[in-house]
Amino acid sequence: MATQTDAPEAPRIPLNRTRVLEAAVALADRDGIDAVSMRKLGQELGVEAMSLYNHVKNKGDLLDGMVDTILGEIELTPMEGHWKTAMRTRMLAAREVVIRHQWVPEVLESRPVMTPTMMRYMDSIIGFFREGGVSIDLTHHAMHAIGSRLLGFTQELFDDSDAEQDPAAAAAMMQQLTQFPNIRALTEALLHEGDEIVGAGCDSNFEFRFTIDLILDGIERLHLAEQEG
Amino acid sequence: MATQTDAPEAPRIPLNRTRVLEAAVALADRDGIDAVSMRKLGQELGVEAMSLYNHVKNKGDLLDGMVDTILGEIELTPMEGHWKTAMRTRMLAAREVVIRHQWVPEVLESRPVMTPTMMRYMDSIIGFFREGGVSIDLTHHAMHAIGSRLLGFTQELFDDSDAEQDPAAAAAMMQQLTQFPNIRALTEALLHEGDEIVGAGCDSNFEFRFTIDLILDGIERLHLAEQEG
DNA sequence: ACCTGAACACCGTTCAAGT
DNA sequence: ACCTGAACACCGTTCAAGT
């Protein structure tokens, strides 16, 4: 809701890095990450593509900056109570932010981002484990095990979004699935769960919570065993 | 070790889908997935880029086919003994294959692949759980929790590969890391573990096994609780 | 200091034309 | 049936030139 296509005679606000990054985030939110090209972003800002290089080193730097920007949206509230519930709350907060910016997983999957904001975020999470008395080694393995869920998302192997919209595609998919007895059993159980025969895709929010609880419980069990032994 | 740059007068073997896919896999293995463009792949096969469209619908179809090809390399051995050990063995077998083809994670992250080979693979894994008596619901959540590890890989959030090679980059990284107390503590613990001060990156194979065991143990615990209740 | 025009070296893909 | 040449509509990026 900004100056996107103002009258071209309006006094030109000079570009700067944050203006560029915010426009890129808005563009990705609206049209998807593939729409974020130097040319299109320039157009969005009323400027030629080459001008962007005055504020951003290259495309990679732009993407890093975008991730950095939205990472700043996750509030680093201090730990209260048990480390497990603190972790859970933080990861669900991260998930809220990622859901608002659906392109974040794809960018993070395509390139590692190690900005100060990212480090501050990870530092805060490691702090939860340490404050909770979890050993540094176990903390390390826990971070690996939780992986991208630390940032609020899970890598999805499959995608049922087109099947959800197009009934023909859904039927074709069903036809294929039923040829495999175990997949078929699983699919049928899923379908009957919601009383509805169609549209019962997986509930990714439920699976997210299920898995972080599974992992956190496992870590706690190892933590307790470590203390006893 | 094939006919890659033969004399151009050699009798031309006609192209077909498997020849195209195998060349693409070899190219990706050798030069990375970014080197797999229609033009370069055509060159590799002594043919113009446009000819490839006779054997492959488009670039996406090519990538799907490549994944399908290497997925076929994972042997679908039947289950023997406990489902947990069967699962473990299968996932480590998948990991072996993925390590030989490092580009697979990136392709799978960028696009869902739902080919018959993929379905057969997933069907086999679901079968392990079912044979082991795990409920269909729990099986479903387990599949989500294990995620891409079913196919032998974990999404890596960070990348220390350049720091491992370039000592200057490593020093700069260290300089940054030490500003965050918890990251610093974790890093120092890591470094002292191997008696060596430098080059002690994370052991991704260890972390892989750690996490699948953590998740499988958690699933088993839920399975046993389900049986009692 | 910031922006631009023109250019370079790439992409995926289509389509009419060849054999 | 299979392959090609030319073309289209895109990319990211550099660089000399403008103000």
Side-chain angles (χ1 to χ4, degrees), chain A residues 8-154:
Chain A
E9 315 86 356
R12 196 188 218 110
I13 309 161
L15 236 47
N16 57 46
R17 187 167 224 265
T18 43
R19 275 233 304 146
V20 169
L21 294 182
E22 275 164 12
V25 167
L27 180 56
D29 286 349
R30 200 186 68 209
D31 296 346
I33 192 68
D34 286 346
V36 180
S37 72
M38 299 305 266
R39 281 168 171 86
K40 284 192 195 131
L41 179 55
Q43 201 173 313
E44 206 76 11
L45 286 159
V47 120
E48 299 299 316
M50 314 84 199
S51 308
L52 299 174
Y53 286 86
N54 286 311
H55 307 101
V56 129
K57 276 221 301 277
N58 47 38
K59 178 94 188 263
D61 186 35
L62 175 70
L63 294 172
D64 286 355
M66 290 171 68
V67 170
D68 211 64
T69 300
I70 74 99
L71 221 55
E73 290 182 21
I74 309 173
E75 221 191 326
L76 298 190
T77 51
M79 174 163 137
E80 276 181 59
H82 197 280
W83 61 266
K84 234 175 63 173
T85 62
M87 278 294 307
R88 208 182 119 99
T89 307
R90 171 65 56 83
M91 283 152 77
L92 292 175
R95 184 163 180 80
E96 294 277 316
V97 171
V98 166
I99 283 174
R100 283 205 300 274
H101 307 285
Q102 309 251 19
W103 45 272
V104 170
E106 191 170 329
V107 173
L108 280 171
E109 276 156 13
S110 72
R111 47 183 298 108
V113 176
M114 224 353 153
T115 61
T117 315
M118 176 68 89
M119 294 202 227
R120 195 173 312 121
Y121 184 80
M122 289 301 163
D123 193 70
S124 153
I125 287 184
I126 299 172
F128 284 178
F129 285 116
R130 293 187 79 203
E131 276 190 69
V134 177
S135 80
I136 200 80
D137 264 13
L138 186 51
T139 297
H140 177 216
H141 302 320
M143 300 285 287
H144 275 281
I146 308 177
S148 70
R149 277 171 270 246
L150 291 168
L151 294 168
F153 68 95
T154 313

Side-chain angles (χ1 to χ4, degrees), chain B:
Chain B
M1 52 260 319
T3 66
Q4 190 174 303
T5 17
D6 264 356
E9 314 86 357
R12 194 188 220 112
I13 310 161
L15 236 45
N16 58 45
R17 186 167 226 266
T18 44
R19 275 232 305 145
V20 169
L21 293 182
E22 275 164 14
V25 166
L27 180 56
D29 286 350
R30 200 186 66 209
D31 296 345
I33 193 67
D34 286 346
V36 179
S37 74
M38 300 305 266
R39 282 169 171 84
K40 285 194 194 128
L41 179 56
Q43 201 173 312
E44 206 76 10
L45 286 159
V47 120
E48 298 299 314
M50 313 82 199
S51 308
L52 300 174
Y53 287 85
N54 286 312
H55 308 101
V56 128
K57 275 222 300 277
N58 47 37
K59 178 94 188 263
D61 186 35
L62 175 70
L63 293 172
D64 287 355
M66 289 171 69
V67 170
D68 210 64
T69 301
I70 75 98
L71 220 54
E73 289 181 21
I74 309 173
E75 220 190 328
L76 298 189
T77 51
M79 173 162 136
E80 276 181 60
H82 198 278
W83 61 266
K84 233 174 63 172
T85 63
M87 278 295 305
R88 208 182 118 100
T89 306
R90 171 64 57 82
M91 283 152 77
L92 292 175
R95 183 162 181 80
E96 294 278 318
V97 171
V98 166
I99 282 173
R100 284 206 298 275
H101 307 285
Q102 309 252 19
W103 45 271
V104 171
E106 191 170 329
V107 173
L108 281 171
E109 276 157 12
S110 72
R111 46 183 297 109
V113 175
M114 223 355 152
T115 62
T117 314
M118 176 68 89
M119 295 203 228
R120 196 173 312 120
Y121 184 79
M122 290 300 163
D123 194 70
S124 154
I125 286 184
I126 299 172
F128 284 177
F129 285 116
R130 292 186 80 202
E131 277 189 68
V134 178
S135 81
I136 200 80
D137 265 12
L138 186 51
T139 297
H140 177 216
H141 303 320
M143 300 285 287
H144 275 281
I146 308 177
S148 69
R149 277 172 269 245
L150 291 168
L151 294 166
F153 68 95
T154 312
Q155 198 218 317
E156 300 287 352
L157 278 183
F158 308 114
D159 182 15
D160 47 9
S161 56
D162 55 337
E164 269 178 24
Q165 291 169 346
D166 181 4
M173 181 62 93
M174 265 326 239
Q175 164 72 2
Q176 288 228 295
L177 290 179
T178 48
Q179 314 214 355
F180 300 91
N182 297 309
I183 292 182
R184 176 181 191 156
L186 198 149
T187 313
E188 281 174 355
L190 256 181
L191 293 182
H192 292 314
E193 220 166 54
D195 280 4
E196 312 222 6
I197 292 300
V198 223
C202 301
D203 180 346
S204 59
N205 284 324
F206 178 88
E207 303 302 342
F208 186 84
R209 289 191 305 266
F210 176 88
T211 305
I212 62 177
D213 287 338
L214 188 75
I215 295 177
L216 290 174
D217 285 347
I219 299 293
E220 185 178 37
R221 209 164 279 115
L222 292 175
H223 169 52
L224 295 175
E226 231 173 28
Q227 284 184 317
E228 284 173 20

Side-chain angles (χ1 to χ4, degrees), chain A residues 189-206:
Chain A
L190 255 181
L191 293 181
H192 292 315
E193 219 168 55
D195 279 3
E196 311 222 7
I197 292 299
V198 223
C202 301
D203 180 346
S204 58
N205 284 324
F206 177 89

